Amino acid sequence: MTILKNPQSTLQKPKILVARAIFPEALAQLETSFEVCSNQADEVLTPAELQKALSGVIGALVAGTERIDAGALAGANDLKIVANISVGYNNFDIPAMTAAGVMATNTPDVLTDSTADFGFALLMATARRITESEHWIRAGKWDQWSIVNNPLGMDLHHSTLGIIGMGRIGQGIAKRALGFGMKVVYHNRSRLSAADEKACGATYLTKEDLLRNADHVILVLPYTAESHHTIGAREIALMKPTATLVNIARGGIVDDLALAQALRAGKIFAAGLDVFEGEPKVNPELLKLNNVVLAPHIASATEKTRRGMVDLAIENLQAAVDGRKPPSLINVEVFGK
Ligand code: DGY
């Protein structure tokens, strides 16, 4: 990849890295205060390129495609902050960043509603077989329309939605589900307050009870060592054969091979996936199936929201460089004082 230097750079400006393409206006804004090494060509940096690009910069804007760990930070002696353009930060090794004296930030809140909208959209597309229906038309099958022979789906209205991971986005999905007359059950590391449960109309269940009872299950939890393969063959076996499973959280939370095998065997009705183990690769077994709706990690992808995420990442970076506390600081115990 080619890292472009700002041609109008001056020695006085601190140097930063923008590791993925961002909106031109945002780049221009950064260039008023910083010497910017940008990657508007948007080729994902290799670990070696990332390590080199971080050396000599005071801050960096990155996305989930950049893994920030001890290796990436070796030689990044001037680095004060890495601002993720993403709410999830499983691409950050927080202990390694903290040990290297580097602040870590993410972009919460600005994407909550767009991501919750998308979760609901993917759930509807999955349950009502929307992409399969489109393929049906494109394959010239509309003349085979019949009362019983269309792609017949599962209802959302008045069904039970199980949400695993009840942070801001999970709660946003729960509130949307209420409009469909759905019963909402949830599982989370910690229970919501009674007031929050009431606002979401949600009932807490163990993971196992949720899987047994839900007609639709949606995953919105962060990816950690503990949440790896939260859903595998054992968990799918607990689900109803008519159930759907939607993952808008992170690849690795679902065992994609076990899911593909279960979908093929009809152990559950269908799945909707926005995230994948090892993305951008998709397990080839999933690609062979009709009863899975696939999306390329686009839950936050509206123009307004992506602009909001970039703006918040810039605000975080600027604050750290100015010696202020970034608004969405993650390693707050060390740098938040
Ligand atoms: C996030 O912000 O974590 C999303 O997954 C990125 O689109």
Side-chain angles (χ1 to χ4, degrees):
M1 60 84 50
T2 323
I3 296 271
L4 297 175
K5 287 213 164 126
N6 173 5
Q8 287 153 9
S9 68
T10 70
L11 287 176
Q12 286 78 19
K13 290 180 183 171
K15 199 167 155 189
I16 62 162
L17 169 70
V18 180
R20 296 302 305 261
I22 59 170
F23 299 99
E25 304 80 3
L27 191 60
Q29 180 197 333
L30 284 168
E31 284 171 349
T32 62
S33 314
F34 299 105
E35 180 183 343
V36 182
C37 299
S38 69
N39 177 20
Q40 289 300 89
D42 219 10
E43 290 161 23
V44 177
L45 281 81
T46 64
E49 287 171 337
L50 181 61
Q51 186 199 346
K52 195 166 164 212
L54 286 173
S55 144
V57 300
I58 191 168
L61 295 191
V62 304
T65 39
E66 283 68 52
R67 171 103 191 121
I68 307 298
D69 56 13
L73 295 173
N77 300 329
D78 301 330
L79 193 63
K80 283 189 167 180
I81 175 164
V82 180
N84 221 17
I85 307 172
S86 168
V87 66
Y89 53 88
N90 54 302
N91 57 316
F92 283 178
D93 180 337
I94 297 293
M97 292 176 75
T98 305
V102 176
M103 290 185 219
T105 64
N106 65 342
T107 57
D109 300 318
V110 288
L111 49 59
T112 300
D113 281 319
S114 297
T115 306
D117 283 353
F118 181 82
F120 222 83
L122 189 55
L123 176 59
M124 295 197 78
T126 303
R128 295 302 304 270
R129 301 174 68 177
I130 289 178
T131 48
E132 213 182 323
S133 297
E134 185 188 340
H135 294 153
W136 209 70
I137 292 186
R138 290 182 192 272
K141 291 189 183 170
W142 200 341
D143 58 0
Q144 293 168 27
W145 188 97
S146 92
I147 289 179
V148 293
N149 189 33
N150 283 149
L152 299 180
M154 294 293 164
D155 280 322
L156 258 69
H157 67 86
H158 302 103
S159 65
T160 298
L161 176 63
I163 303 175
I164 302 185
M166 201 58 154
R168 303 175 197 82
I169 298 168
Q171 291 178 46
I173 291 168
K175 288 173 185 159
R176 282 158 179 77
L178 297 179
F180 281 69
M182 296 173 94
K183 177 178 172 192
V184 178
V185 295
Y186 78 98
H187 180 74
N188 197 47
R189 271 178 305 189
S190 48
R191 264 189 87 154
L192 299 184
S193 67
D196 285 343
E197 281 189 355
K198 193 167 170 211
C200 297
T203 304
Y204 178 85
L205 291 182
T206 63
K207 182 174 94 171
E208 286 71 22
D209 281 346
L210 179 149
L211 292 170
R212 283 188 200 99
N213 285 290
D215 298 304
H216 307 282
V217 175
I218 186 160
L219 305 171
V220 206
L221 64 166
Y223 181 72
T224 61
E226 292 73 41
S227 67
H228 181 73
H229 286 188
T230 292
I231 302 291
R234 186 188 80 85
E235 289 74 21
I236 294 169
L238 299 175
M239 294 173 70
K240 300 180 184 181
T242 50
T244 66
L245 176 72
V246 170
N247 186 9
I248 60 162
R250 277 292 180 273
I253 287 178
V254 173
D255 177 343
D256 283 352
L257 180 59
L259 174 63
Q261 288 165 345
L263 287 167
R264 178 178 294 286
K267 294 200 169 143
I268 58 171
F269 180 69
L273 303 173
D274 185 45
V275 288
F276 302 85
E277 281 193 290
E279 65 187 53
K281 293 198 182 104
V282 176
N283 189 305
E285 294 306 311
L286 288 169
L287 293 173
K288 293 178 194 162
L289 299 169
N290 287 330
N291 54 346
V292 58
V293 179
L294 308 169
H297 203 147
I298 54 165
S300 65
T302 68
E303 175 155 354
K304 182 169 173 229
T305 290
R306 286 281 165 88
R307 284 185 185 274
M309 292 164 72
V310 169
D311 289 349
L312 178 53
I314 291 175
E315 211 182 316
N316 280 318
L317 182 137
Q318 187 71 61
V321 171
D322 293 349
R324 290 178 286 113
K325 181 180 159 195
S328 34
L329 181 63
I330 297 164
N331 39 6
V332 70
E333 301 80 13
V334 176
F335 298 108
K337 299 180 179 119

